[in-house]
Amino acid sequence: MLDKEYKGTPVCHFFTKEWQKMGYNVKVVHFETLFPKIYYLIGNVFKKNIRARTGCVVYTKTPRKYRKYNIDNIPVLLVPIFKIIPHVAFSKSRIEKALDIVYKELEKDNFVPDFITGHFALPQLQMLYLMKQKYQNIKTCMVLHSDGSSLQKIYPDYINYMNSIDVWGFRSEAFKNKFELLYGKKENEFICYSGIPDSYIEPVERNFDNQIFHFSFVGSLFKLKRVDNTIKALNQAFDKKNFCFDIVGEGAELSNLTALVESLNLKDNVCFYGQVSRERVQEIIKESDCFIMISSHEAFGLVYVEAMAKGCITIATKGQGIDGVIIDGVNGFLCEAENIEELSNIIRKIRNMSKEDLKKISDNAVEMARNMTDYKVAEHYINSIINC
């Protein structure tokens, strides 16, 4: 199959690419839910509206039989598993059928894993439990992209499943903290952040002589990103409207945002770039003084780290994925989601800071970003499993 036909998860692919560079023999198994055809017909009709409101990816086509791909020289086995009701566990027979495909393909390659790691608890937690019974000497790792509160609802046998895991990874400090409140602290835990390309790390010279007036946002324009709140907060924080705000991205909220800009008489202040290349994104971020993205839900936004790498004063959402990377007042600022008044006050605070204090926060942001390249986070990930 052609690589472009594979619609996998980039988050996981970046890790596997780096592990392969380190010399590990990596194989990827992608279990994907196969729903009745009517689901995909509905998804095709409403996918834009669903994404605009929730930010969720809507799958409109899933292969009905397993397929093999080669992505950047990494073998990927996609195994569809049928079910009717979303967000519930798969039947035992479907799970066994899917695993039988995996075992046969691994046996063809004479591949016996030493470590198995899974992302997203459904169905990976159950798969890891069962695979550990077959490969008894392996180490297993489960990386959660949520706080794990749904585990006991999905899996009646969740305690046994959880006990089979050697290492727990969490996509954010917030998820880890909530998980520990529910299930207690596990012996081997780590934070599984994503990284940015090494090329994004470059010498940064910022002096903030002109203070803070140039802001940017990069992301999909749907409601949960709350770009409208940022526009309103900037309008409140700058009485004379002496600021500029660059918005990069596309989405269903574009018409509402342009209408808001017109109603506030900010057409000369706000620039909509649409979808641009990754190279141009880096240029736009670098040209701005401050990056703002206050989403209602954000598991982990890499664009925050990209902005930090450029020395931007970065404002992110409190209590979400980036909280823990950004430390409020040290290497950036955190704001409650949907709190326009708090965001406006943070912007005013930053405007009134000395250039020396701004430079210190900027330098701290760059230093944090340097420790979050693709290679470094992948190395931390694999070492957390090996050394447990």
Side-chain angles (χ1 to χ4, degrees), residues 314-342:
T314 304
I315 307 177
T317 315
K318 187 183 298 180
Q320 307 250 348
I322 201 67
D323 194 336
V325 174
I326 292 182
I327 302 170
D328 189 59
V330 176
N331 58 8
F333 294 89
L334 297 170
C335 178
E336 291 182 355
E338 301 184 56
N339 192 329
I340 298 172
E341 290 300 322
E342 183 182 19

Side-chain angles (χ1 to χ4, degrees), residues 87-106:
H87 309 300
V88 300
F90 294 91
S91 70
K92 181 181 177 182
S93 62
R94 300 286 181 182
I95 289 290
E96 290 175 348
K97 183 179 179 180
L99 280 177
D100 187 55
I101 293 171
V102 175
Y103 295 150
K104 287 179 179 177
E105 289 298 321
L106 294 182

Side-chain angles (χ1 to χ4, degrees), residues 5 55 63 151 191 215 226 271 291 295 337 353:
E5 293 183 10
L151 296 183
I191 304 298
F215 300 81
R226 305 299 179 191
C271 179
F291 178 86
S295 304
M353 290 177 68

Side-chain angles (χ1 to χ4, degrees), residues 72-264:
D72 293 328
N73 295 319
I74 297 171
V76 177
L77 176 65
L78 188 149
V79 183
I81 313 178
F82 184 82
K83 71 175 174 181
I84 297 175
I85 304 173
H87 309 300
V88 300
F90 294 91
S91 70
K92 181 181 177 182
S93 62
R94 300 286 181 182
I95 289 290
E96 290 175 348
K97 183 179 179 180
L99 280 177
D100 187 55
I101 293 171
V102 175
Y103 295 150
K104 287 179 179 177
E105 289 298 321
L106 294 182
E107 286 170 8
K108 285 181 185 178
D109 296 334
N110 295 314
F111 185 92
V112 178
D114 298 307
F115 315 100
I116 303 179
T117 184
H119 282 247
F120 307 101
L122 183 63
Q124 276 64 235
L125 181 59
Q126 185 178 7
M127 293 299 191
L128 290 171
Y129 167 77
L130 294 171
M131 293 181 82
K132 191 161 189 175
Q133 293 178 348
K134 180 175 178 63
Y135 305 110
Q136 295 182 6
N137 294 321
I138 63 168
K139 290 182 178 181
T140 56
C141 174
M142 181 73 252
V143 178
L144 294 181
H145 291 239
S146 67
D147 58 21
S149 57
S150 63
L151 296 183
Q152 48 198 309
K153 300 175 184 176
I154 296 171
Y155 297 119
D157 201 18
Y158 75 95
I159 294 177
N160 283 332
Y161 291 174
M162 292 180 70
N163 287 340
S164 72
I165 301 301
D166 296 301
V167 184
W168 289 88
F170 304 93
R171 292 288 286 159
S172 74
E173 285 280 357
F175 289 157
K176 182 177 78 71
N177 293 338
K178 291 177 183 177
F179 175 90
E180 290 177 351
L181 287 175
L182 292 169
Y183 307 107
K185 185 177 177 61
K186 301 303 178 183
E187 183 178 355
N188 298 301
E189 298 179 347
F190 75 104
I191 304 298
C192 184
Y193 291 130
S194 292
I196 60 175
D198 288 324
S199 60
Y200 287 8
I201 305 296
E202 56 184 274
V204 176
E205 291 295 334
R206 288 186 180 269
N207 52 37
F208 298 102
D209 285 340
N210 296 320
Q211 297 299 306
I212 301 289
F213 75 95
H214 193 164
F215 300 81
S216 62
F217 165 90
V218 177
S220 299
L221 303 182
F222 48 80
K223 287 188 177 181
L224 291 179
K225 292 294 184 179
R226 305 299 179 191
V227 183
D228 55 337
N229 288 351
T230 300
I231 293 171
K232 293 172 184 176
L234 286 167
N235 187 55
Q236 289 183 16
F238 286 84
D239 297 333
K240 298 181 180 179
K241 299 183 179 180
N242 52 335
F243 71 91
C244 59
F245 184 31
D246 294 333
I247 299 175
V248 180
E250 295 178 344
E253 277 295 286
L254 178 59
S255 59
N256 292 332
L257 293 174
T258 53
L260 175 63
V261 167
E262 289 184 10
S263 69
L264 295 175

